[in-house]
Amino acid sequence: MTRPIAHDPSSQERAAEPGSGMAADIADQPEAYARLIAEADQIAEVAAAVAARQPRHVVLTARGSSDHAALYGAYLTEIRIGLPAGLGSPSATTLYGGRADYAGALVIGVSQSGQSPDLCELVTAARASGAVTLAITNEPGSPLAGAAELVLGLSAGHERALPATKTYTTELLALLMVLEGVRAGDGRLGADERAFLDTLPDRAADLLADDTAVQLADRYRFAGSLVVTGRGYAYPTAREAAHKIMETSYVPALAYSGADLLHGPLAVTNPRAPVIAVVGAGPGGEFMRDVVARLDERQAEVTVVGPAEVPGAHARLPVPAVDERFAPLLDILPLQRLTLALALTRGENPDAPPGITKVTPTR
Amino acid sequence: MTRPIAHDPSSQERAAEPGSGMAADIADQPEAYARLIAEADQIAEVAAAVAARQPRHVVLTARGSSDHAALYGAYLTEIRIGLPAGLGSPSATTLYGGRADYAGALVIGVSQSGQSPDLCELVTAARASGAVTLAITNEPGSPLAGAAELVLGLSAGHERALPATKTYTTELLALLMVLEGVRAGDGRLGADERAFLDTLPDRAADLLADDTAVQLADRYRFAGSLVVTGRGYAYPTAREAAHKIMETSYVPALAYSGADLLHGPLAVTNPRAPVIAVVGAGPGGEFMRDVVARLDERQAEVTVVGPAEVPGAHARLPVPAVDERFAPLLDILPLQRLTLALALTRGENPDAPPGITKVTPTR
C-alpha cells in the first residue's frame, strides 16, 4: 500500500542544515494524510476482515512514538467499538517466555519501521494462539508486516529526520480509519468520519502555516523542565509532545493525564516549569479546564493547545474545534513545530539527536 | 479483612517532625507483609472464585501509585497466568460514555482509599456487562469495594503520610497472592511462592536496616532531574520510584522501560542527570545490563538497584537475589528510603506535599 514518493532533488543540500529534515517531514503531513485517505477502500477491506472475526478485546503493541498512537487506538476501541483495549508488554513474551492465550483478541502491532523483534515476536505468538493480527507500518515489506495476518501501510513516504512526525500522524489516521471501519462492521466510514477526513488535509496545511508555536519556543528556551498534560483522547498528544521535546531538546518533559496529575504530580508544577495543556472541545477539555485552574493556583504558566480561550491559561496555540476523537490528528501539529523550533533555538540538530537511531531493535 | 492497628501514643508528637509519618509508614512494611500473608486462606478463596469463572483476559484500573501496582499485576497475568492483560482507561467510560463489553474479562480496581469515582464507575460498568470484578483496597468499606463483586483488603493499617508506601507494597503482595492463586486454579500458592513469602517480612526488615540509600540521597541533593529505568517486572518499580521522588522532592524524574529508553529518550541522559537502574537477577536484568552499558557510554552516572555488581554502574543499592517476579516487593524499599531522605535533605516535608491530598476524587 505504499507508493514511491517523488525524489526531491534539493533534499541532499538541505540535509546539511540542522532541522531541515524534520521541517520537511512536518510539512509533508497534509499530503501524507491525503494519500492515506485516498486508500480508504483498501483500509475498509482490512477493517471488514477484522470485524468478520468478531474480536472480544483488542491488544495494541508498539514502542516509542508509535506507543502513543497505539494509546489513541486503545481509546478509540473502548469508546467507539465498545471493546476493552490495552497495550501489550512485549517483554512478557520475549524476556519471560510468557505464552499468553490471545484467542478472541485483535492484536495490532504499530511500528514505523516494522523492525523491532519484540513486537514481531508478540504478534507471532498472538497469531499462533488464535488472535486476528494486524500490522500498521510504513514498511509493508518489514518483518512485522510479515508476522501479521493483515497489513496496513502508512504511505507516509521516507521520513528524513530521526524523530517521527509524519509516520506518527499517519499511524493515528490509519488507526482511526480501520477502527471506525471495524465499528461499522462492513469497514465503511460513517458520515461524520467522511466529513472530517474531507477537510483534514486542508486543515492540517492551514494549521502548519500558523507561526504561534515558533514564538512560544523562544519563550521556553531557558526552561529547565516542562510538563505536558491532556485527558482522554488528548492524553496521547501530551505523551507524544513530551517525548518529542525530550528526544530533540534534552529537556526533561513530563507527560501526565490530567486526572493522574491531580494524584500527586501536581506538586511538581511551579512557576519555574512551563505547562502545556491540551484542552479540546469536549468532555476531556471540560475536565482539563479544572486542571488548568488548579495549575494557575500553583502559579504555573500554562499554554493551552485548544480551540477556545481557557481561564487561567497564559497563552494558546489555536487549533480547529473538532470532535475530540479527531483532535489528535491536528493538535500535535503545532507541538511538532514547537519541538523543532525549541531544539533549534537551544542549538541542537533535531534531525539526528545523539544516542538514538531511526530503527531501534529491542527484544 | 482489615484489622485495627494498635495505637502508637507517640505518633502525635512525631507528626510534628517532617518525614516522621512517611518514616513510620516505611518501617511498618515488614509487619504489613506479615499480616497480609497471614490472610492467605481468605485470599485463596477469592482467587478460587475468580478462577472458577475462567476469565479470558484481565483489565486492571488504578490511579497514581496504585497504577504502578496494577502494572505489576498485568505482567504477572501475562507471564504467569498466560492471559492478555491491560490497564483500563476510566475516562473512556466516565467522560465519553463508552460502554465497553467486558464479558469474559476479570476487571481489577486497585486503590488505597477506594474513593475515586472514575474507578468505581468503570468497575460498575464492567460488572454490569458480565465481568468478574475485584477490588483491591485498604478500605474494604469504600465505594470501590461496594462496586466490585469480590474484595481483597490490604490490612496495611492507617497510612500517615500522603505518599503511598505501605499501601503500594501491600497492593503488590495482594496482586501476587491472588494472581498466583488464579493460576493454580484452586487459589492455593505453589511451593516457590510459599517459600518466598515465608522469608519476605524478615528480608524486608533487613533491607530497611541498610542505610546505603540515605547516603545516595545526599549525593542527589542538587540534581536538576533524574531518570529511573527498569524492564519487565522491574518497570513498575522504576515508575513508582520516579513518581514518589517527584511528589516529595519536586525534581523532574523520568521513568522509562529499558527498552523504551533506547527508542529516543536515551538522548535525554547525560552526565548531569543521575540515573537509577533496576537490574534484577533474571531476563529483565540481563537486558538492563546492556542499557547500563549504553548509559555509561553517554557518561551518565548510574546507580543500580540489584543483587549484583553491574559493569558501567557507579553505585549500587544492594537487594536480595530473588526471582524477578518477586523482586518488586523488595526493590522499592531502598528507593522509598531514598525518596524520604532526598526530600528531607532538600528541605521538604514529604508527609504533606503542597497541592495534593490523600484522597483525590477524579471522574
Side-chain angles (χ1 to χ4, degrees):
Chain A
M1 266 191 204
T2 45
R3 55 183 74 174
I5 305 300
H7 177 66
D8 175 353
S10 67
S11 68
Q12 289 299 320
E13 300 96 85
R14 282 182 314 167
E17 197 185 317
S20 58
M22 189 174 174
D25 292 337
I26 290 173
D28 267 356
Q29 292 175 107
E31 274 187 48
Y33 276 154
R35 278 197 299 273
L36 197 56
I37 291 166
E39 295 177 10
D41 288 347
Q42 292 124 288
I43 296 174
E45 279 176 38
V46 170
V50 169
R53 302 277 284 278
Q54 299 187 301
R56 303 293 307 136
H57 66 107
V58 179
V59 176
L60 298 108
T61 186
R63 289 275 175 209
S65 287
S66 300
D67 204 38
H68 312 142
L71 185 59
Y72 171 66
Y75 281 102
L76 279 176
T77 302
E78 294 197 340
I79 298 165
R80 296 290 295 168
I81 307 184
L83 289 177
L87 303 188
S89 308
S91 66
T93 304
T94 58
L95 292 189
Y96 297 103
R99 284 286 169 263
D101 177 1
Y102 284 90
L106 163 62
V107 176
I108 306 178
V110 188
S111 168
Q112 172 268 126
S113 69
Q115 293 291 343
S116 204
D118 52 357
L119 303 188
C120 293
E121 210 170 311
L122 192 151
V123 167
T124 300
R127 189 175 177 181
S129 70
V132 193
T133 51
L134 168 62
I136 296 182
T137 174
N138 203 32
E139 300 293 347
S142 66
L144 182 67
E149 179 185 341
L150 300 163
V151 180
L152 256 179
L154 297 175
S155 299
H158 173 67
E159 197 159 51
R160 300 158 186 88
L162 280 176
T165 51
K166 63 181 180 175
T167 57
Y168 171 71
T169 48
T170 50
E171 284 171 356
L172 297 177
L173 179 57
L175 283 161
L176 174 67
M177 292 174 76
V178 76
L179 292 171
E180 289 287 350
V182 171
R183 176 180 198 257
D186 62 0
R188 301 282 148 192
L189 298 176
D192 285 356
E193 289 74 47
R194 287 200 311 273
F196 172 71
L197 295 186
D198 283 347
T199 66
L200 176 60
D202 284 348
R203 277 175 150 161
D206 290 348
L207 196 47
L208 288 172
D210 180 329
D211 284 331
T212 316
V214 178
Q215 295 151 28
L216 190 66
D218 189 55
R219 175 147 185 81
Y220 289 173
R221 177 168 174 170
F222 305 116
S225 65
L226 281 136
V227 173
V228 195
T229 179
R231 193 167 182 216
Y233 283 119
Y235 178 43
T237 302
R239 295 218 0 215
E240 170 63 6
H243 181 89
K244 206 103 291 176
I245 289 170
M246 269 195 296
E247 71 175 352
T248 54
S249 282
Y250 324 121
V251 52
L254 302 160
Y256 291 106
S257 126
D260 283 322
L261 192 63
L262 302 182
H263 285 257
L266 195 64
V268 88
T269 62
N270 58 55
R272 299 174 301 284
V275 178
I276 299 171
V278 187
V279 184
E286 271 312 303
F287 184 93
M288 288 303 299
R289 287 178 170 260
D290 290 338
V291 175
V292 172
R294 293 282 299 276
L295 290 164
D296 186 44
E297 284 168 18
R298 293 187 56 75
Q299 297 180 275
E301 182 181 289
V302 182
T303 294
V304 159
V305 179
E309 296 300 331
V310 176
H314 297 70
R316 185 163 68 93
L317 297 177
V319 291
V322 298
D323 189 298
E324 284 186 356
R325 148 171 69 111
F326 301 133
L329 285 80
L330 293 165
D331 292 354
I332 194 65
L333 302 179
L335 294 168
Q336 292 170 341
R337 290 206 63 201
L338 169 64
T339 299
L340 170 58
L342 183 62
L344 293 176
T345 194
R346 288 168 66 105
E348 308 291 354
N349 179 6
D351 288 351
I356 65 169
T357 52
K358 185 77 183 169
V359 178
T360 310
T362 45
R363 275 201 80 239
Chain B
M1 269 190 203
T2 45
R3 56 184 73 174
I5 305 299
H7 178 65
D8 176 353
S10 67
S11 67
Q12 289 298 321
E13 299 96 85
R14 281 182 313 168
E17 196 184 319
S20 58
M22 189 174 175
D25 292 338
I26 290 173
D28 267 356
Q29 291 174 108
E31 273 187 47
Y33 276 155
R35 277 196 299 273
L36 197 56
I37 291 167
E39 294 176 10
D41 288 347
Q42 292 125 288
I43 296 174
E45 279 176 36
V46 170
V50 169
R53 302 277 284 277
Q54 299 187 301
R56 303 293 308 136
H57 66 106
V58 178
V59 176
L60 297 108
T61 186
R63 290 274 176 213
S65 286
S66 300
D67 204 38
H68 312 142
L71 185 59
Y72 172 65
Y75 281 102
L76 280 176
T77 301
E78 295 197 340
I79 298 165
R80 297 289 294 169
I81 308 185
L83 290 177
L87 303 188
S89 307
S91 65
T93 305
T94 58
L95 291 187
Y96 297 103
R99 284 287 168 260
D101 177 0
Y102 285 90
L106 164 62
V107 176
I108 306 178
V110 188
S111 168
Q112 172 268 125
S113 70
Q115 294 289 343
S116 204
D118 51 359
L119 302 189
C120 294
E121 212 170 310
L122 192 151
V123 167
T124 300
R127 188 175 179 181
S129 72
V132 193
T133 51
L134 168 63
I136 296 182
T137 174
N138 203 30
E139 300 292 346
S142 65
L144 181 67
E149 180 184 340
L150 300 164
V151 180
L152 256 180
L154 298 175
S155 300
H158 173 66
E159 196 160 51
R160 300 157 186 88
L162 280 176
T165 50
K166 64 180 179 174
T167 57
Y168 172 71
T169 48
T170 49
E171 283 170 358
L172 296 178
L173 179 58
L175 283 161
L176 175 67
M177 292 174 76
V178 76
L179 291 171
E180 289 289 350
V182 170
R183 176 179 198 257
D186 62 0
R188 301 282 147 191
L189 298 176
D192 286 355
E193 290 75 48
R194 286 200 311 272
F196 172 72
L197 295 187
D198 283 347
T199 67
L200 176 60
D202 283 348
R203 277 174 150 161
D206 290 347
L207 196 47
L208 288 172
D210 180 329
D211 284 331
T212 316
V214 178
Q215 295 151 27
L216 190 66
D218 189 55
R219 175 147 185 81
Y220 289 174
R221 176 167 174 170
F222 306 116
S225 65
L226 281 137
V227 173
V228 195
T229 179
R231 195 168 181 215
Y233 282 119
Y235 179 43
T237 302
R239 295 213 9 210
E240 171 62 6
H243 181 90
K244 206 102 291 176
I245 289 169
M246 270 195 297
E247 71 175 352
T248 53
S249 282
Y250 324 121
V251 53
L254 302 160
Y256 290 106
S257 126
D260 283 324
L261 192 63
L262 302 182
H263 285 255
L266 195 65
V268 89
T269 62
N270 58 54
R272 298 175 301 284
V275 178
I276 299 170
V278 187
V279 184
E286 271 312 301
F287 184 93
M288 288 303 300
R289 286 176 170 262
D290 290 339
V291 174
V292 171
R294 293 283 298 277
L295 289 164
D296 186 44
E297 283 168 21
R298 294 188 54 77
Q299 296 180 277
E301 182 182 289
V302 182
T303 294
V304 159
V305 179
E309 295 302 329
V310 176
H314 297 69
R316 185 163 68 94
L317 297 177
V319 291
V322 297
D323 190 298
E324 284 187 357
R325 147 172 68 110
F326 301 133
L329 285 80
L330 292 165
D331 292 353
I332 194 66
L333 301 179
L335 294 168
Q336 291 170 340
R337 291 206 62 201
L338 169 64
T339 299
L340 169 58
L342 183 61
L344 292 176
T345 194
R346 288 167 66 104
E348 309 289 355
N349 179 6
D351 288 352
I356 65 167
T357 51
K358 185 78 184 168
V359 178
T360 310
T362 46
R363 275 200 80 242

